Amino acid sequence: MQDNSEPKNIERRRFIRNGMQLALAGTLVGVAALSVKKTRASGMVWQIDPFKCVQCGRCATECVRMPSAVKCVHAYNLCGYCDLCGGYLKPDPNARSTAAENQLCPTAAIQRRFIEDPFYEYVIDENLCIGCAKCVAGCTSFGNGSLHLQIRHNLCKNCNECAIARVCPAEAISRIPADKPYQIKGGFRKTPAKDKG
Amino acid sequence: MKRKHINIILVILALAIVFIIGKDFIGNKAGKNMDNPYKLDVDQFKKIDSTTVLYNEIKTFQVNDSSPKGIAVAGKQILVLTEKQLIRYDYSGKELSRFELPDTANCIAPVTKDQIWIGMLHSVASFDANGKLLTRWKNFDENSVITSLAVSGKTVYVADAGNRIVYQCNTNGEILSKIGEKNEQKGVPGYIIPSPCFDLALDDNGFLWVANTGRHSLENYNHDGSLRTAWGESSVKIDGFIGCCNPAQFAILPDNSFVTAEKGIPRIKLYDQHGVLQGIVAAPQLFDNGWYAPDLAIDVNQRILALDFDRKQVRIFEKNVNGNK
């Protein structure tokens, strides 16, 4: 009886040991594969969904690039080319002029160009833009929402974990396919269309 | 005893870890509640003096449709236009009937003599009280966006935001004249319409008023299309109009005073016939956001009906005691 029970215990121990080793190896391989996939993330880039953005200012302060890789972009097909532009001028400006005291942008990154009476074109100077979204808030609150933020991929380091995405209160930043790296308003729409003005 | 103490310490540590993780999870990750050094404080412009509020909201009911477009009053019934249907409600909010529309609808004219005029995207149609199609014109081009209608006798005024023009038509759809084209001899500055917010209405004398939203003014026209008068001021202050396109909606009371609805900072205000602010009908705090100005209608008791596009509600406002003084 004793002779029979001893080999049985050995078999059980060996089985458990082999099982543990296999499980450990499998876990290690799985974790390694996932890590490699996540680290490389080739074909994916970070981008802002302009319909989720709440203009919190974190894009200006949290990006590892200085100034931020996030810039304001302008969907011209949505713009009203207004003289009284909510994205360019402070609310209740002294005059509708290019004077610094009337400009909403803290770095004067928006250029106002006369087209014809009474229409003006607004162009972003990306060298000056810090991605603070102050103009986006003004345009969204008082205008058509044609000004919005995008991550510029010629500037973005495409970090493994985006420093802005980590603190974005609206969770508006996510990875999207690199073959469609921008989500420009006008051509891009995630929310159901609301045509009523 | 020693082991017991160790266990207690371990339990306390475990609880502390759970608390910290939980707090971080609820707070949506560290750093998400930081102040914004670049904040544009729009809320400061929403503050109003409560003594200037002249109206109370007396009734609200939900619209049974996801895409309301316009509101009108027909006797004791409220008509709510949606993208595909016209729905009739009584004043309690009970749905009485509904009928399908032949195309995507955009606006509805104040109802006269049981004939209902509806502006589609590129066409105008009229229906009888039972929803039978009486007439339909398709003589507008593909750029047209019909945003408002008004009917006076055999004349129909059509606001086209796409072409930035008002058409004066007969009831057969023939365009008799175009109103609002820039004309220095007639003193007409031309319309600036940055977005599809382009409303019009007729006053008690049958004269046409048009919201030139890019200029923040209400313009009054003679029947020949010449400009009679205009009023309106661009300002974030309560007596002015703010944003790119306001007043986005308006209606005229029988005493020729004006009710205006704005987007950006959503608010409904009352002006006298000369454009002097009388008070507030609905304060910004009553609305969710300012993406869409509510459509307006006036009933026989001079109550103001607002169609709230965000909440998808009909909201009825009545003058309060303060307002009646």
Side-chain angles (χ1 to χ4, degrees), chain B:
Chain B
M1 206 53 189
K2 198 176 178 184
R3 190 169 178 176
K4 192 181 173 186
H5 286 147
I6 291 169
N7 284 342
I8 290 169
I9 290 165
L10 286 174
V11 168
I12 290 169
L13 272 174
L15 286 173
I17 290 166
V18 167
F19 175 75
I20 290 165
I21 292 171
K23 194 182 171 191
D24 186 43
F25 182 75
I26 291 165
N28 265 337
K29 295 179 185 175
K32 286 199 175 183
N33 297 318
M34 291 184 295
D35 285 336
N36 178 8
Y38 303 103
K39 187 179 180 185
L40 174 64
D41 185 11
V42 177
D43 290 342
Q44 62 177 305
F45 306 116
K46 293 181 179 177
K47 291 172 186 165
I48 57 150
D49 177 2
S50 60
T51 60
T52 60
V53 178
L54 305 178
Y55 282 73
N56 290 329
E57 188 170 3
I58 57 163
K59 177 76 184 171
T60 302
F61 63 86
Q62 206 69 29
V63 174
N64 304 323
D65 196 283
S66 60
S67 55
K69 289 287 184 178
I71 189 167
V73 177
K76 293 180 178 177
Q77 296 176 0
I78 298 167
L79 307 183
V80 174
L81 180 73
T82 73
E83 218 170 69
K84 299 290 179 192
Q85 294 180 319
L86 186 77
I87 311 173
R88 286 177 182 274
Y89 293 95
D90 65 17
Y91 268 76
S92 70
K94 182 185 170 192
E95 184 178 325
L96 303 173
S97 65
R98 63 169 69 198
F99 64 82
E100 294 288 326
L101 300 169
D103 201 352
T104 303
N106 212 32
C107 60
I108 183 169
V111 178
T112 52
K113 295 179 183 173
D114 283 340
Q115 193 169 0
I116 302 163
W117 287 87
I118 291 174
M120 314 287 182
L121 205 55
H122 307 305
S123 64
V124 171
S126 74
F127 302 83
D128 70 10
N130 298 317
K132 183 187 170 191
L133 183 67
L134 300 175
T135 178
R136 189 174 177 195
W137 330 325
K138 295 183 178 178
N139 48 351
F140 302 104
D141 64 36
E142 61 180 18
N143 291 328
S144 65
V145 180
I146 309 298
T147 51
S148 187
L149 298 173
V151 183
S152 172
K154 292 185 176 178
T155 305
V156 182
Y157 295 95
V158 181
D160 180 351
N163 291 305
R164 299 173 175 87
I165 201 74
V166 172
Y167 301 107
Q168 187 181 19
C169 305
N170 63 22
T171 49
N172 297 321
E174 293 170 48
I175 296 173
L176 306 174
S177 67
K178 293 179 179 178
I179 297 173
E181 282 182 317
K182 189 173 182 178
N183 186 327
E184 288 181 4
Q185 285 185 332
K186 285 185 175 180
V188 180
Y191 298 125
I192 304 170
I193 310 297
S195 69
C197 300
F198 189 34
D199 203 4
L200 57 74
L202 299 169
D203 67 18
D204 199 41
N205 302 314
F207 285 108
L208 176 70
W209 286 85
V210 181
N212 196 345
T213 53
R215 294 188 192 276
H216 298 124
S217 67
L218 283 165
E219 296 175 354
N220 185 206
Y221 291 89
N222 287 308
H223 298 299
D224 66 353
S226 58
L227 190 67
R228 292 183 78 211
T229 183
W231 64 266
E233 187 190 355
S234 305
S235 173
V236 293
K237 296 187 182 77
I238 192 69
D239 56 347
F241 297 121
I242 194 173
C244 70
C245 338
N246 277 318
Q249 307 281 352
F250 76 99
I252 303 178
L253 286 159
D255 65 354
N256 286 335
S257 55
F258 297 86
V259 182
T260 63
E262 291 168 66
K263 67 173 200 162
I265 294 178
R267 55 194 184 189
I268 303 176
K269 299 183 294 190
L270 179 71
Y271 291 85
D272 73 7
Q273 57 182 316
H274 306 294
V276 177
L277 181 73
Q278 300 299 293
I280 310 297
V281 175
Q285 289 75 19
L286 294 182
F287 299 95
D288 292 340
N289 62 53
W291 285 46
Y292 308 102
D295 194 18
L296 300 171
I298 311 287
D299 73 5
V300 288
N301 296 318
Q302 300 193 32
R303 288 177 292 200
I304 296 165
L305 286 76
L307 180 62
D308 188 326
F309 295 111
D310 290 309
R311 296 186 186 181
K312 299 179 189 359
Q313 289 176 339
V314 172
R315 307 176 71 174
I316 304 172
F317 297 88
E318 189 173 62
K319 223 169 194 180
N320 59 30
V321 178
N322 187 29
N324 288 328
K325 281 178 185 176

